[in-house]
Amino acid sequence: MLEISVHNTNVLLDKIEVVKLEIEYHILVKSVHCSWIVKKQRNEFLELLQRVYSTEKHSIISNEIFPKFLFSSSPEKIQSHQHRVQGLLDSLPFCENVNKFLEFDKHDVLTVTINFLKDIRLNFGGNADIWDILNKCDEDLVLTEKQLHCLNSCPIPVNYEVPLLELKNTLEKVEHLKIVGSEADHDHKYHTSPNLDMSVFNSLVTLYMKNIDFTGVTEFGGLSETLQKLTIKGSIKEISEALIWVSESITVSWSYIQDLDLSSNSIEKMDESMRMLINLQNLNLSFNKILTIDNIRGLPYLDNINLSHNRIIDVASLNTKLGNVSTLNLSHNYIKNLAGLEKMYSLEKLDISYNYIDDMSQI
């Protein structure tokens, strides 16, 4: 565990609560780039003191600061107790046990980055070259949103300069990447939007993103020069959020993307940014809120479309919009009339189950 300088961190007692008859301390930790809340109970404090201090000092502190029946005391005594706990937090040495107690390994940008580096070596290859480790691994490289933020925000200390620079140089060569956010990250508060700079990834062929705060994504357009398959779930409300990027006053073109999966978002319309996908073959927009099929005319290679689980009502003149599509999934929508589908001569597979269709003779 890396030692964190006390000068770069503030540790504050935010509040005290009683949870299931146990005293729970909510501790606010403010590091250089982020802040987080740690919730600890009395027995966890006592265990920490036992590890950090001598037996005699541990006994004195435990008896003075952590009485067993705190909430039978007066408000004045509770306030006095809070001051004593804060005094203890101010005096704690920033050693391995304290860092673990304050959960630096889960939140602090430098610690998270170094632990990520250690995990790669531990799980895949000891002290081997990082690129050799990742290159031999059959699985995609997986980063959490927090890890990517930390990699981009991390200062490079002298004692870790070589491996961290090696790691960042390695990321430039990665071809298959997954970035996943989680509900647990909601307790982690960045001082600004998360730093999800994608410029380090110069060779990506496939990218999977789920539950990402897209307000923190930058330099995403640079991926257009190599990316062939893009999947984004639970992260955007408009398709243009993923596709419209301007670099040096030039709008990015996604001419290499063949597979686009934007299922399970909150997309309401197929906006004009779809027209940038000139070589698109497979499109998945299922599990969204789309009402109308639009803006995919002029995509000559588009062959497979999944628009299931949306709010589509009308498919009139669909043959003029979809070109030579051979597979179309429109299941779980609100379609009542199939007029227009009979002219889609290239269709080989059509799924219109779970709609409101009375007359199937139209196709």
Side-chain angles (χ1 to χ4, degrees), residues 9 77 91 94 144 207 226 236 274 290 327 334 337 344:
T9 307
K77 289 186 177 181
S91 65
F94 273 69
T144 66
L207 173 61
T226 58
I236 58 175
M274 294 287 303
I290 294 169
T327 303
Y334 299 90
N337 192 320
M344 293 189 63

Side-chain angles (χ1 to χ4, degrees), residues 55-71:
T55 303
E56 182 179 354
K57 188 172 183 179
H58 158 253
S59 179
I60 294 172
I61 295 175
S62 300
N63 292 331
E64 286 187 354
I65 300 181
F66 296 103
K68 292 183 179 180
F69 305 105
L70 171 64
F71 286 91

Side-chain angles (χ1 to χ4, degrees), residues 11-261:
V11 182
L12 306 170
L13 180 62
D14 187 54
K15 62 180 177 179
I16 299 176
E17 289 186 347
V18 177
V19 179
K20 296 180 180 179
L21 300 179
E22 291 285 343
I23 301 170
E24 186 174 82
Y25 302 87
H26 293 216
I27 304 166
L28 174 62
V29 186
K30 292 185 176 182
S31 186
V32 176
H33 296 93
C34 56
S35 58
W36 62 93
I37 293 288
V38 179
K39 298 177 182 179
K40 298 294 181 181
Q41 295 185 345
R42 176 180 179 273
N43 64 309
E44 292 175 290
F45 260 109
L46 296 179
E47 290 173 3
L48 172 68
L49 295 175
Q50 192 170 18
R51 293 191 184 99
V52 173
Y53 296 115
S54 64
T55 303
E56 182 179 354
K57 188 172 183 179
H58 158 253
S59 179
I60 294 172
I61 295 175
S62 300
N63 292 331
E64 286 187 354
I65 300 181
F66 296 103
K68 292 183 179 180
F69 305 105
L70 171 64
F71 286 91
S72 63
S73 304
S74 64
E76 291 80 10
K77 289 186 177 181
I78 294 174
Q79 188 175 21
S80 175
H81 172 67
Q82 290 174 320
H83 287 308
R84 287 173 179 266
V85 174
Q86 182 61 61
L88 173 63
L89 292 173
D90 292 339
S91 65
L92 283 174
F94 273 69
C95 58
E96 179 175 344
N97 286 317
V98 174
N99 291 346
K100 186 174 182 180
F101 178 80
L102 296 175
E103 299 182 0
F104 272 88
D105 57 323
K106 296 180 182 178
H107 302 284
D108 179 72
V109 293
L110 180 55
T111 315
V112 170
T113 302
I114 291 172
N115 284 347
F116 171 68
L117 179 63
K118 290 179 178 178
D119 287 343
I120 289 177
R121 293 194 183 281
L122 179 64
N123 294 330
F124 298 114
N127 292 318
D129 178 84
I130 298 174
W131 170 242
D132 288 339
I133 294 170
L134 295 177
N135 199 33
K136 291 175 183 177
C137 179
D138 293 332
E139 302 175 0
D140 295 352
L141 174 64
V142 180
L143 287 171
T144 66
E145 179 186 90
K146 187 183 297 181
Q147 285 173 330
L148 179 56
H149 166 80
C150 293
L151 282 168
N152 285 324
S153 306
C154 180
I156 301 180
V158 175
N159 54 330
Y160 279 93
E161 183 175 2
V162 173
L164 285 178
L165 287 175
E166 181 190 356
L167 174 60
K168 292 190 175 184
N169 290 336
T170 295
L171 295 179
E172 294 180 359
K173 306 175 187 178
V174 169
E175 295 184 353
H176 307 285
L177 175 66
K178 291 182 179 180
I179 306 173
V180 183
S182 69
E183 294 297 325
D185 288 343
H186 294 172
D187 290 335
H188 179 274
K189 298 179 180 179
Y190 306 109
H191 292 173
T192 59
S193 295
N195 183 0
L196 306 181
D197 184 344
M198 300 295 293
S199 61
V200 68
F201 301 104
N202 294 333
S203 306
L204 284 186
V205 176
T206 66
L207 173 61
Y208 176 100
M209 306 176 83
K210 184 177 181 181
N211 297 335
I212 300 300
D213 181 355
F214 242 73
T215 62
V217 176
T218 58
E219 303 299 329
F220 195 77
L223 305 180
S224 65
E225 298 180 5
T226 58
L227 200 62
Q228 297 178 24
K229 182 176 181 179
L230 174 61
T231 301
I232 302 175
K233 296 177 180 287
S235 304
I236 58 175
K237 295 182 178 180
E238 297 181 5
I239 296 174
S240 59
E241 289 182 57
L243 299 183
I244 298 294
W245 300 87
V246 177
S247 178
E248 297 179 356
S249 301
I250 300 174
T251 302
V252 169
S253 173
W254 297 92
S255 57
Y256 289 97
I257 286 187
Q258 299 175 12
D259 295 86
L260 179 64
D261 183 349

Side-chain angles (χ1 to χ4, degrees), residues 305 318 322 325-330 341 344 347 349-351:
I305 302 179
L318 203 56
L322 295 188
V325 170
S326 67
T327 303
L328 177 62
N329 188 342
L330 292 171
L341 289 180
M344 293 189 63
L347 265 185
K349 296 181 181 179
L350 172 65
D351 188 345

Side-chain angles (χ1 to χ4, degrees), residues 304-322:
N304 186 336
I305 302 179
N306 187 346
L307 285 164
S308 64
H309 296 273
N310 275 284
R311 300 175 182 179
I312 298 168
I313 299 173
D314 185 15
V315 294
S317 303
L318 203 56
N319 62 301
T320 65
K321 299 178 180 180
L322 295 188

